[in-house]
C-alpha cells in the first residue's frame, strides 16, 4: 500500500451493496474526503460452482472499480483468496470441503489448483484497471491476516508469484496483520499494514516500526465500529475516540484504511461466523452496519460528519458537497396469510446408510432434512453429535425440540408416539465459520453420529433445501403446525429503501419479490432487515418468510428504522444531515 500519495481510504464491499447504489456510496466516500476505497474480492460469490465464474450484476467488480475511478478514488484490491470479512467461509467456496478435510491456505495442491484458476480469472477482469495501465488500482493485498493462521513463507511466496502471473503487475503488494502476528504473516521484501481497534495508534505502530524501521506506516484496517453476532448484545464503540485516533494518524502522515466506511448487508446466506472458546459458534447477523460512518441504508451519520471535518482539517483539502440521501419509506403492518408447509417444499431425496453433509450433496447454503422411521412407542433420548448449526426436531410432523450449536446442545427427549413414527431433523446452515480455530473444517448438516437410546440408525432419507431460488409451490389457506413458508402482499404507492421489522418471526429467512433479504431470529440483536428500494415496485410486492418455529398464527411484518431499532423506538440515534 506504499503508493505515490498518502492513502486515506474507506472499506466497502461490492456484494454487500446493491449495484444500483454503488455510484451513490462511492460519491459519499469522496464527499467525506477519502481519496481511495478498499474492497475484498469474494471468491465464493464469483465461483459458486467449480470452473463456472460469475462477474455480472452484484459481482461485476470491474464495473465497481470503474465507478470508483469516476469519483477520483484510488482502489486497493484484496483478492485473498481468504478474506475473513465476517463472510461465509471467509470468502472460500464451500465446494472445497466436498471431499473431506482440506489444508486450506497452504501449498496443498487440492487448494492451490483452484486458487490459481480463480486468481487467473480474476486477473482477466482487473488487470486493465491497474495503475500501471492507467487505472485506479494502486495496491494489491497478499492474503489476509495470514499470521493469525500460519507462518508458511513458501505459501506466501507462491501466492505472490501466482498473482503476478495472473496479471497483477506494476503495482505494489503488501501483507496485513494484527500487531502480534506481523512477523508470522509477512515477507521481508513487502510493506506491512497493521490492523487494530480504537485505542492508542502510536502503540500499534511501535510494533510495526520495530519490524520495519524504514518502511511506510500503514494502517490496513482501522476498526471504526464492529459487527454483531446473533444472541449477543449489539456492539457499540466510542465515536469520539475513533475521531481522535483518526486525527492522530492523519497528523502523523500515516496511510489509513477505515474499516468499514460503509458496511452494508449480508444479503441472502452470505454471513459468516466466529468460533472461539468458550462459545463454540457465533453466527454473524444479516446486517453489517458496523456502526460505520455511512449506515446500512447509505445515510451519513454523526461519525461521518466528524471524520469529514477531521480529514478536511488535516489535509487542507475541501471535499465535495455531501450528496442528499433518500428518506426511508414506512408502511402499515401486514400479515403473511398464505401458507406452504415444509413437506410441500421438499424435492426428491437421497437414500443413504450414513449421514451426508451439505457439501457432499453439492449444497452450499440453506437447510438439509434428515428423515428416518423410529419406534416411538416409549419416550426415547435422541443424541446428535455435530449439529451444524441449528436443528429442528420433528416427530410425525410435530416439532418436539430444537438444538443450537451456539449452546453446545446435543440431546433431545422424544415424546411417545407411534411404532413407525417419522423422525425429521431439519438442520440450518447458519453461516460457515470465517475466523477461529475451527475455520478450516466447517462442513454443514450433521457431521457426527445420531443415536436413539444408544442405537445408531441404519438408513436415512436426505432432502436438500438450499433455497438457491425462491420455491415455486402452491399456497394454501389452511394451516398445520411445524416449519413452513408464509406469504403475503405489501402494497406500495412509491417504493423506497425500507427496514422490515421482523420481530414477529421466530427463526428464518425473508424474501422480497423473490430476492433473499437475509435471516431473522427473535433472539436479536437484529430486529429489522434492510430492503433496498430497488428491490421494491409500485403496487403489490410479494413478501415471504420461512420460519422454523411452530406458529399458532400468521406472522406480521411492520416498518422499521434501522437494523437493531424498530421504527416505534427510533429515538435512540439520528443520522447526520448535511446542511
Amino acid at each position: 500500500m506504499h503508493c505515490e500519495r498518502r492513502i486515506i481510504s474507506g472499506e466497502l464491499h461490492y456484494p454487500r451493496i446493491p449495484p444500483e447504489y454503488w455510484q451513490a456510496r462511492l460519491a459519499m466516500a469522496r464527499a467525506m474526503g477519502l481519496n481511495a476505497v478498499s474492497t475484498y474480492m469474494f471468491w465464493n460469490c464469483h465461483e459458486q460452482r467449480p470452473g463456472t465464474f460469475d462477474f455480472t450484476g452484484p459481482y461485476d467488480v470491474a464495473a465497481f472499480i470503474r465507478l470508483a475511478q469516476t469519483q477520483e478514488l484510488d482502489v486497493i484490491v484484496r483478492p485473498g483468496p481468504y478474506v475473513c470479512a465476517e463472510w461465509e467461509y471467509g470468502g472460500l467456496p464451500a465446494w472445497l470441503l466436498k471431499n473431506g478435510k482440506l489444508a486450506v491456505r497452504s501449498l496443498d495442491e487440492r487448494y492451490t489448483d483452484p486458487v490459481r484458476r480463480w486468481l487467473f480469472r480474476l486477473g482477466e477482469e482487473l488487470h486493465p484497471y491497474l495503475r500501471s495501465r492507467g487505472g485506479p488500482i494502486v495496491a494489491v493485498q497478499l492474503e489476509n491476516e495470514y499470521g493469525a493462521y500460519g507462518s508458511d513463507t513458501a505459501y506466501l511466496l507462491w501466492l505472490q508469484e501466482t498473482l503476478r502471473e495472473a496479471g497483477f503487475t506494476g503495482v505494489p503488494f503488501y501483507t496485513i496483520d494484527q500487531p502480534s502476528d506481523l512477523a508470522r504473516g509477512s515477507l521481508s521484501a513487502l510493506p506491512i499494514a497493521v490492523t487494530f481497534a480504537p485505542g492508542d495508534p502510536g502503540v500499534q505502530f511501535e510494533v510495526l516500526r520495530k519490524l520495519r524501521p524504514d518502511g511506510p506506516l500503514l494502517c490496513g484496517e482501522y476498526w471504526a465500529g464492529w459487527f454483531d453476532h446473533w444472541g449477543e448484545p449489539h456492539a457499540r464503540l466510542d465515536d469520539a475516540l475513533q475521531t481522535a485516533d483518526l486525527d492522530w494518524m492523519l497528523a502523523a502522515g500515516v496511510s489509513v484504511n477505515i474499516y468499514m466506511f460503509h458496511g452494508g448487508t449480508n444479503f441472502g446466506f452470505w454471513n459468516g461466523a466466529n468460533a472461539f472458546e468458550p462459545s463454540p459458534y457465533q453466527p454473524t447477523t444479516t446486517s453489517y452496519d458496523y456502526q460505520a460512518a455511512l449506515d446500512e441504508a447509505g445515510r451519513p451519520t454523526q461519525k461521518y460528519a466528524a471524520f469529514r471535518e477531521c480529514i478536511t482539517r488535516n489535509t487542507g483539502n475541501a471535499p465535495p458537497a455531501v450528496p442528499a440521501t433518500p428518506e426511508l419509506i414506512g408502511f402499515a403492518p401486514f400479515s403473511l396469510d398464505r401458507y406452504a408447509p415444509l413437506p410441500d417444499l421438499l424435492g426428491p431425496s437421497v437414500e443413504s446408510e450414513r449421514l451426508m453433509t451439505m457439501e457432499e450433496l453439492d449444497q452450499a447454503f440453506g437447510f438439509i432434512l434428515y428423515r428416518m422411521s423410529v419406534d416411538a412407542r416409549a419416550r426415547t433420548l435422541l443424541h446428535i453429535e455435530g449439529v451444524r448449526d441449528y436443528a429442528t426436531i420433528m416427530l410425525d410432523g410435530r416439532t418436539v425440540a430444537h438444538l443450537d450449536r451456539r449452546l453446545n446442545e446435543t440431546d433431545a427427549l422424544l415424546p411417545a408416539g407411534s411404532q413407525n413414527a417419522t423422525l425429521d431433523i431439519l438442520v440450518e446452515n447458519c453461516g460457515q465459520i470465517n475466523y477461529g480455530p475451527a475455520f478450516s473444517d466447517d462442513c454443514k448438516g450433521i457431521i457426527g453420529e445420531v443415536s436413539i437410546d444408544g442405537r445408531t440408525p441404519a438408513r436415512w432419507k436426505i432432502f436438500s433445501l438450499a433455497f438457491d431460488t425462491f420455491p415455486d409451490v402452491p399456497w394454501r389457506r389452511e394451516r398445520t403446525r411445524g416449519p413452513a413458508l408464509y406469504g403475503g402482499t405489501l402494497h406500495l404507492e412509491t417504493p423506497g429503501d425500507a427496514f422490515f421489522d421482523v420481530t414477529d418471526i421466530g427463526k428464518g429467512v425473508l424474501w422480497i419479490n423473490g430476492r433473499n433479504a437475509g435471516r431473522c431470529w427473535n433472539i436479536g440483536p437484529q430486529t429489522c432487515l434492510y430492503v433496498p428500494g430497488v428491490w421494491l415496485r409500485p403496487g403489490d410486492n410479494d413478501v415471504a418468510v420461512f420460519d422454523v418455529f411452530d406458529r399458532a398464527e400468521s406472522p406480521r411484518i411492520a416498518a422499521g428504522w434501522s437494523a437493531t431499532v424498530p421504527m416505534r423506538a427510533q429515538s435512540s440515534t439520528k443520522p447526520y444531515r448535511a446542511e
Side-chain angles (χ1 to χ4, degrees), residues 444-455:
K444 295 302 185 181
I446 297 175
I447 63 157
E449 293 293 331
V450 171
S451 62
I452 300 175
D453 280 349
R455 299 183 301 275

Side-chain angles (χ1 to χ4, degrees), residues 151-164:
S151 58
D152 187 352
T153 300
Y155 165 66
L156 292 178
L157 289 170
W158 173 85
L159 190 59
Q160 180 183 11
E161 183 58 29
T162 300
L163 283 162
R164 284 173 175 160

Side-chain angles (χ1 to χ4, degrees), residues 474-492:
W475 292 107
R476 305 183 182 194
R477 292 292 180 179
E478 71 280 3
R479 295 194 61 256
T480 58
R481 303 297 288 266
L485 188 70
Y486 300 87
T489 301
L490 169 63
H491 186 85
L492 294 173

Side-chain angles (χ1 to χ4, degrees), residues 102-106 145-151 184 436 439-440:
L102 176 68
V104 298
R105 306 179 75 183
S106 80
E145 292 190 331
Y146 182 68
Y149 182 82
S151 58
R184 287 165 48 85
F439 155 74
S440 61

Side-chain angles (χ1 to χ4, degrees), residues 373-385:
S373 294
V374 297
D375 184 347
R377 285 175 292 178
R379 295 175 62 177
T380 53
L381 180 66
L382 173 68
H383 175 77
I384 307 177
E385 297 177 5

Side-chain angles (χ1 to χ4, degrees), residues 94-172:
W95 47 258
L96 288 171
L97 297 169
K98 179 176 180 178
N99 297 316
K101 189 171 183 178
L102 176 68
V104 298
R105 306 179 75 183
S106 80
L107 289 175
D108 185 328
E109 289 185 356
R110 296 174 299 163
Y111 180 68
T112 56
D113 287 350
V115 166
R116 183 179 179 87
R117 180 178 66 211
W118 150 242
L119 293 177
F120 270 66
R121 181 62 185 86
L122 179 64
E124 294 177 20
E125 294 291 320
L126 297 191
H127 70 72
Y129 305 105
L130 300 175
R131 176 54 50 87
S132 55
R133 295 171 176 260
I137 297 175
V138 295
V140 177
Q141 181 180 294
L142 191 66
E143 245 279 354
N144 189 66
E145 292 190 331
Y146 182 68
Y149 182 82
S151 58
D152 187 352
T153 300
Y155 165 66
L156 292 178
L157 289 170
W158 173 85
L159 190 59
Q160 180 183 11
E161 183 58 29
T162 300
L163 283 162
R164 284 173 175 160
E165 293 175 5
F168 293 90
T169 57
V171 293

